[in-house]
PDB file of all heavy atoms in Angstrom:
ATOM      1  N   LYS I 228      -6.761  14.089   4.100  1.00 59.00           N
ATOM      2  CA  LYS I 228      -5.640  14.596   4.987  1.00 59.00           C
ATOM      3  C   LYS I 228      -5.903  15.988   5.415  1.00 59.00           C
ATOM      4  O   LYS I 228      -5.291  16.389   6.446  1.00 59.00           O
ATOM      5  CB  LYS I 228      -4.311  14.628   4.264  1.00 59.00           C
ATOM      6  CG  LYS I 228      -3.714  13.189   4.010  1.00 59.00           C
ATOM      7  CD  LYS I 228      -3.438  12.327   5.169  1.00 59.00           C
ATOM      8  CE  LYS I 228      -2.851  11.054   4.903  1.00 59.00           C
ATOM      9  NZ  LYS I 228      -2.779  10.232   6.050  1.00 59.00           N
ATOM     10  N   GLN I 229      -6.990  16.602   5.001  1.00 61.00           N
ATOM     11  CA  GLN I 229      -7.258  17.981   5.469  1.00 61.00           C
ATOM     12  C   GLN I 229      -7.640  18.117   6.971  1.00 61.00           C
ATOM     13  O   GLN I 229      -7.030  18.920   7.683  1.00 61.00           O
ATOM     14  CB  GLN I 229      -8.364  18.688   4.643  1.00 61.00           C
ATOM     15  CG  GLN I 229      -8.590  20.063   4.969  1.00 61.00           C
ATOM     16  CD  GLN I 229      -9.649  20.784   4.060  1.00 61.00           C
ATOM     17  OE1 GLN I 229      -9.976  20.324   3.018  1.00 61.00           O
ATOM     18  NE2 GLN I 229      -9.959  22.003   4.422  1.00 61.00           N
ATOM     19  N   ARG I 230      -8.380  17.092   7.305  1.00 81.00           N
ATOM     20  CA  ARG I 230      -8.829  17.074   8.778  1.00 81.00           C
ATOM     21  C   ARG I 230      -7.410  16.962   9.611  1.00 81.00           C
ATOM     22  O   ARG I 230      -7.369  17.496  10.671  1.00 81.00           O
ATOM     23  CB  ARG I 230      -9.810  16.070   9.119  1.00 81.00           C
ATOM     24  CG  ARG I 230     -11.230  16.683   8.740  1.00 81.00           C
ATOM     25  CD  ARG I 230     -12.252  15.543   9.088  1.00 81.00           C
ATOM     26  NE  ARG I 230     -12.170  14.427   8.167  1.00 81.00           N
ATOM     27  CZ  ARG I 230     -13.060  13.435   8.222  1.00 81.00           C
ATOM     28  NH1 ARG I 230     -13.914  13.349   9.037  1.00 81.00           N
ATOM     29  NH2 ARG I 230     -13.010  12.498   7.246  1.00 81.00           N
ATOM     30  N   LEU I 231      -6.478  16.145   9.038  1.00 85.00           N
ATOM     31  CA  LEU I 231      -5.330  15.831   9.820  1.00 85.00           C
ATOM     32  C   LEU I 231      -4.490  17.113  10.011  1.00 85.00           C
ATOM     33  O   LEU I 231      -4.064  17.529  11.042  1.00 85.00           O
ATOM     34  CB  LEU I 231      -4.365  14.722   9.088  1.00 85.00           C
ATOM     35  CG  LEU I 231      -2.986  14.408   9.585  1.00 85.00           C
ATOM     36  CD1 LEU I 231      -2.669  12.976   9.221  1.00 85.00           C
ATOM     37  CD2 LEU I 231      -1.997  15.459   9.130  1.00 85.00           C
ATOM     38  N   THR I 232      -4.379  17.899   8.922  1.00 90.00           N
ATOM     39  CA  THR I 232      -3.671  19.145   8.877  1.00 90.00           C
ATOM     40  C   THR I 232      -4.428  20.033   9.790  1.00 90.00           C
ATOM     41  O   THR I 232      -3.639  20.886  10.632  1.00 90.00           O
ATOM     42  CB  THR I 232      -3.487  19.839   7.544  1.00 90.00           C
ATOM     43  OG1 THR I 232      -3.072  18.740   6.606  1.00 90.00           O
ATOM     44  CG2 THR I 232      -2.635  20.938   7.564  1.00 90.00           C
ATOM     45  N   ASP I 233      -5.701  20.239   9.739  1.00 90.00           N
ATOM     46  CA  ASP I 233      -6.506  21.119  10.677  1.00 90.00           C
ATOM     47  C   ASP I 233      -6.195  20.849  12.043  1.00 90.00           C
ATOM     48  O   ASP I 233      -6.079  21.749  12.984  1.00 90.00           O
ATOM     49  CB  ASP I 233      -7.882  21.154  10.250  1.00 90.00           C
ATOM     50  CG  ASP I 233      -8.221  21.732   8.876  1.00 90.00           C
ATOM     51  OD1 ASP I 233      -7.398  22.426   8.414  1.00 90.00           O
ATOM     52  OD2 ASP I 233      -9.356  21.450   8.454  1.00 90.00           O
ATOM     53  N   LYS I 234      -6.342  19.491  12.438  1.00 92.00           N
ATOM     54  CA  LYS I 234      -6.067  19.126  13.880  1.00 92.00           C
ATOM     55  C   LYS I 234      -4.697  19.274  14.162  1.00 92.00           C
ATOM     56  O   LYS I 234      -4.481  19.817  15.363  1.00 92.00           O
ATOM     57  CB  LYS I 234      -6.365  17.645  13.983  1.00 92.00           C
ATOM     58  CG  LYS I 234      -6.262  17.198  15.396  1.00 92.00           C
ATOM     59  CD  LYS I 234      -6.898  15.610  15.524  1.00 92.00           C
ATOM     60  CE  LYS I 234      -6.686  15.116  16.919  1.00 92.00           C
ATOM     61  NZ  LYS I 234      -7.166  13.744  17.079  1.00 92.00           N
ATOM     62  N   LEU I 235      -3.816  19.127  13.388  1.00 94.00           N
ATOM     63  CA  LEU I 235      -2.285  19.392  13.686  1.00 94.00           C
ATOM     64  C   LEU I 235      -2.244  20.949  13.997  1.00 94.00           C
ATOM     65  O   LEU I 235      -1.499  21.162  15.055  1.00 94.00           O
ATOM     66  CB  LEU I 235      -1.486  18.911  12.439  1.00 94.00           C
ATOM     67  CG  LEU I 235       0.135  19.338  12.552  1.00 94.00           C
ATOM     68  CD1 LEU I 235       0.687  18.624  13.745  1.00 94.00           C
ATOM     69  CD2 LEU I 235       0.829  19.044  11.391  1.00 94.00           C
ATOM     70  N   GLN I 236      -2.726  21.694  13.222  1.00 95.00           N
ATOM     71  CA  GLN I 236      -2.578  23.201  13.439  1.00 95.00           C
ATOM     72  C   GLN I 236      -3.255  23.657  14.908  1.00 95.00           C
ATOM     73  O   GLN I 236      -2.806  24.400  15.587  1.00 95.00           O
ATOM     74  CB  GLN I 236      -3.059  23.915  12.304  1.00 95.00           C
ATOM     75  CG  GLN I 236      -2.186  23.789  11.036  1.00 95.00           C
ATOM     76  CD  GLN I 236      -2.583  25.026  10.154  1.00 95.00           C
ATOM     77  OE1 GLN I 236      -2.148  26.183  10.350  1.00 95.00           O
ATOM     78  NE2 GLN I 236      -3.001  24.676   8.890  1.00 95.00           N
ATOM     79  N   THR I 237      -4.380  23.045  15.036  1.00 94.00           N
ATOM     80  CA  THR I 237      -5.023  23.201  16.223  1.00 94.00           C
ATOM     81  C   THR I 237      -4.278  22.865  17.454  1.00 94.00           C
ATOM     82  O   THR I 237      -4.088  23.517  18.425  1.00 94.00           O
ATOM     83  CB  THR I 237      -6.432  22.562  16.401  1.00 94.00           C
ATOM     84  OG1 THR I 237      -7.281  23.027  15.325  1.00 94.00           O
ATOM     85  CG2 THR I 237      -7.108  22.829  17.677  1.00 94.00           C
ATOM     86  N   ASN I 238      -3.742  21.641  17.424  1.00 94.00           N
ATOM     87  CA  ASN I 238      -2.695  21.266  18.563  1.00 94.00           C
ATOM     88  C   ASN I 238      -1.577  22.192  18.677  1.00 94.00           C
ATOM     89  O   ASN I 238      -1.214  22.588  19.760  1.00 94.00           O
ATOM     90  CB  ASN I 238      -2.222  19.871  18.216  1.00 94.00           C
ATOM     91  CG  ASN I 238      -3.260  18.755  18.288  1.00 94.00           C
ATOM     92  OD1 ASN I 238      -4.390  18.948  18.762  1.00 94.00           O
ATOM     93  ND2 ASN I 238      -2.824  17.470  17.974  1.00 94.00           N
ATOM     94  N   MET I 239      -0.931  22.483  17.555  1.00 95.00           N
ATOM     95  CA  MET I 239       0.212  23.400  17.706  1.00 95.00           C
ATOM     96  C   MET I 239      -0.211  24.818  18.292  1.00 95.00           C
ATOM     97  O   MET I 239       0.523  25.312  19.230  1.00 95.00           O
ATOM     98  CB  MET I 239       0.885  23.637  16.350  1.00 95.00           C
ATOM     99  CG  MET I 239       1.760  22.433  15.877  1.00 95.00           C
ATOM    100  SD  MET I 239       2.736  22.599  14.492  1.00 95.00           S
ATOM    101  CE  MET I 239       1.476  22.585  13.164  1.00 95.00           C
ATOM    102  N   ARG I 240      -1.252  25.343  17.933  1.00 96.00           N
ATOM    103  CA  ARG I 240      -1.706  26.677  18.321  1.00 96.00           C
ATOM    104  C   ARG I 240      -1.824  26.598  19.841  1.00 96.00           C
ATOM    105  O   ARG I 240      -1.605  27.409  20.490  1.00 96.00           O
ATOM    106  CB  ARG I 240      -2.955  27.232  17.512  1.00 96.00           C
ATOM    107  CG  ARG I 240      -2.419  27.680  16.168  1.00 96.00           C
ATOM    108  CD  ARG I 240      -3.544  28.524  15.353  1.00 96.00           C
ATOM    109  NE  ARG I 240      -2.954  28.978  14.202  1.00 96.00           N
ATOM    110  CZ  ARG I 240      -3.465  28.740  12.941  1.00 96.00           C
ATOM    111  NH1 ARG I 240      -4.360  27.732  12.729  1.00 96.00           N
ATOM    112  NH2 ARG I 240      -3.008  29.363  11.916  1.00 96.00           N
ATOM    113  N   GLN I 241      -2.709  25.551  20.252  1.00 95.00           N
ATOM    114  CA  GLN I 241      -3.108  25.400  21.665  1.00 95.00           C
ATOM    115  C   GLN I 241      -1.923  25.352  22.499  1.00 95.00           C
ATOM    116  O   GLN I 241      -1.712  26.070  23.584  1.00 95.00           O
ATOM    117  CB  GLN I 241      -3.973  24.305  21.850  1.00 95.00           C
ATOM    118  CG  GLN I 241      -5.442  24.455  21.240  1.00 95.00           C
ATOM    119  CD  GLN I 241      -6.289  23.293  21.446  1.00 95.00           C
ATOM    120  OE1 GLN I 241      -5.732  22.131  21.698  1.00 95.00           O
ATOM    121  NE2 GLN I 241      -7.587  23.413  21.228  1.00 95.00           N
ATOM    122  N   GLN I 242      -0.979  24.462  22.172  1.00 94.00           N
ATOM    123  CA  GLN I 242       0.197  24.197  22.845  1.00 94.00           C
ATOM    124  C   GLN I 242       1.230  25.250  22.958  1.00 94.00           C
ATOM    125  O   GLN I 242       1.709  25.751  23.956  1.00 94.00           O
ATOM    126  CB  GLN I 242       0.893  22.909  22.464  1.00 94.00           C
ATOM    127  CG  GLN I 242       0.149  21.528  22.604  1.00 94.00           C
ATOM    128  CD  GLN I 242       0.884  20.405  22.216  1.00 94.00           C
ATOM    129  OE1 GLN I 242       2.147  20.236  22.547  1.00 94.00           O
ATOM    130  NE2 GLN I 242       0.117  19.463  21.625  1.00 94.00           N
ATOM    131  N   ILE I 243       1.428  26.054  21.758  1.00 96.00           N
ATOM    132  CA  ILE I 243       2.258  27.149  21.805  1.00 96.00           C
ATOM    133  C   ILE I 243       1.630  28.370  22.613  1.00 96.00           C
ATOM    134  O   ILE I 243       2.339  29.007  23.468  1.00 96.00           O
ATOM    135  CB  ILE I 243       2.614  27.627  20.409  1.00 96.00           C
ATOM    136  CG1 ILE I 243       3.357  26.551  19.575  1.00 96.00           C
ATOM    137  CG2 ILE I 243       3.249  28.982  20.313  1.00 96.00           C
ATOM    138  CD1 ILE I 243       3.409  26.843  18.128  1.00 96.00           C
ATOM    139  N   SER I 244       0.319  28.531  22.465  1.00 95.00           N
ATOM    140  CA  SER I 244      -0.334  29.538  23.199  1.00 95.00           C
ATOM    141  C   SER I 244      -0.185  29.370  24.811  1.00 95.00           C
ATOM    142  O   SER I 244      -0.092  30.338  25.567  1.00 95.00           O
ATOM    143  CB  SER I 244      -1.881  29.721  22.863  1.00 95.00           C
ATOM    144  OG  SER I 244      -1.976  29.983  21.506  1.00 95.00           O
ATOM    145  N   GLN I 245      -0.164  28.056  25.218  1.00 94.00           N
ATOM    146  CA  GLN I 245      -0.215  27.769  26.500  1.00 94.00           C
ATOM    147  C   GLN I 245       1.222  28.034  27.154  1.00 94.00           C
ATOM    148  O   GLN I 245       1.400  28.440  28.359  1.00 94.00           O
ATOM    149  CB  GLN I 245      -0.417  26.392  26.797  1.00 94.00           C
ATOM    150  CG  GLN I 245      -1.890  25.991  26.622  1.00 94.00           C
ATOM    151  CD  GLN I 245      -2.122  24.484  26.605  1.00 94.00           C
ATOM    152  OE1 GLN I 245      -1.258  23.757  26.801  1.00 94.00           O
ATOM    153  NE2 GLN I 245      -3.341  24.046  26.333  1.00 94.00           N
ATOM    154  N   HIS I 246       2.237  28.226  26.310  1.00 91.00           N
ATOM    155  CA  HIS I 246       3.614  28.743  26.730  1.00 91.00           C
ATOM    156  C   HIS I 246       4.168  29.799  25.901  1.00 91.00           C
ATOM    157  O   HIS I 246       5.330  29.855  25.566  1.00 91.00           O
ATOM    158  CB  HIS I 246       4.489  27.419  26.512  1.00 91.00           C
ATOM    159  CG  HIS I 246       4.012  26.082  27.264  1.00 91.00           C
ATOM    160  ND1 HIS I 246       4.147  25.961  28.556  1.00 91.00           N
ATOM    161  CD2 HIS I 246       3.312  24.994  26.744  1.00 91.00           C
ATOM    162  CE1 HIS I 246       3.671  24.816  28.987  1.00 91.00           C
ATOM    163  NE2 HIS I 246       3.104  24.176  27.899  1.00 91.00           N
ATOM    164  N   LEU I 247       3.296  30.731  25.746  1.00 93.00           N
ATOM    165  CA  LEU I 247       3.733  31.887  24.774  1.00 93.00           C
ATOM    166  C   LEU I 247       4.897  32.657  25.290  1.00 93.00           C
ATOM    167  O   LEU I 247       5.763  32.947  24.352  1.00 93.00           O
ATOM    168  CB  LEU I 247       2.540  32.838  24.688  1.00 93.00           C
ATOM    169  CG  LEU I 247       2.282  33.569  23.328  1.00 93.00           C
ATOM    170  CD1 LEU I 247       2.272  32.691  22.200  1.00 93.00           C
ATOM    171  CD2 LEU I 247       1.111  34.447  23.318  1.00 93.00           C
ATOM    172  N   PRO I 248       5.097  32.933  26.523  1.00 91.00           N
ATOM    173  CA  PRO I 248       6.317  33.699  27.032  1.00 91.00           C
ATOM    174  C   PRO I 248       7.597  32.780  26.617  1.00 91.00           C
ATOM    175  O   PRO I 248       8.680  33.444  26.503  1.00 91.00           O
ATOM    176  CB  PRO I 248       6.164  33.831  28.500  1.00 91.00           C
ATOM    177  CG  PRO I 248       4.658  33.831  28.548  1.00 91.00           C
ATOM    178  CD  PRO I 248       4.215  32.880  27.651  1.00 91.00           C
ATOM    179  N   ASP I 249       7.506  31.606  26.616  1.00 89.00           N
ATOM    180  CA  ASP I 249       8.660  30.763  26.241  1.00 89.00           C
ATOM    181  C   ASP I 249       9.139  30.968  24.699  1.00 89.00           C
ATOM    182  O   ASP I 249      10.359  30.967  24.489  1.00 89.00           O
ATOM    183  CB  ASP I 249       8.488  29.267  26.433  1.00 89.00           C
ATOM    184  CG  ASP I 249       8.212  28.964  27.937  1.00 89.00           C
ATOM    185  OD1 ASP I 249       8.703  29.772  28.884  1.00 89.00           O
ATOM    186  OD2 ASP I 249       7.598  27.966  28.316  1.00 89.00           O
ATOM    187  N   TYR I 250       8.088  31.151  23.905  1.00 90.00           N
ATOM    188  CA  TYR I 250       8.465  31.332  22.510  1.00 90.00           C
ATOM    189  C   TYR I 250       8.603  32.857  22.178  1.00 90.00           C
ATOM    190  O   TYR I 250       9.336  33.019  21.302  1.00 90.00           O
ATOM    191  CB  TYR I 250       7.274  30.800  21.742  1.00 90.00           C
ATOM    192  CG  TYR I 250       7.143  29.310  21.672  1.00 90.00           C
ATOM    193  CD1 TYR I 250       6.110  28.772  22.553  1.00 90.00           C
ATOM    194  CD2 TYR I 250       7.948  28.394  21.035  1.00 90.00           C
ATOM    195  CE1 TYR I 250       5.899  27.379  22.785  1.00 90.00           C
ATOM    196  CE2 TYR I 250       7.767  26.952  21.242  1.00 90.00           C
ATOM    197  CZ  TYR I 250       6.805  26.563  22.125  1.00 90.00           C
ATOM    198  OH  TYR I 250       6.675  25.153  22.143  1.00 90.00           O
TER     199      TYR I 250
END
Side-chain angles (χ1 to χ4, degrees):
K228 295 296 183 184
Q229 183 174 350
R230 277 181 289 180
L231 179 154
T232 307
D233 290 344
K234 186 176 180 181
L235 174 63
Q236 291 202 62
T237 298
N238 283 355
M239 285 191 283
R240 287 188 169 116
Q241 287 177 346
Q242 293 185 39
I243 293 169
S244 296
Q245 289 169 2
H246 303 279
L247 211 57
D249 294 334
Y250 294 102

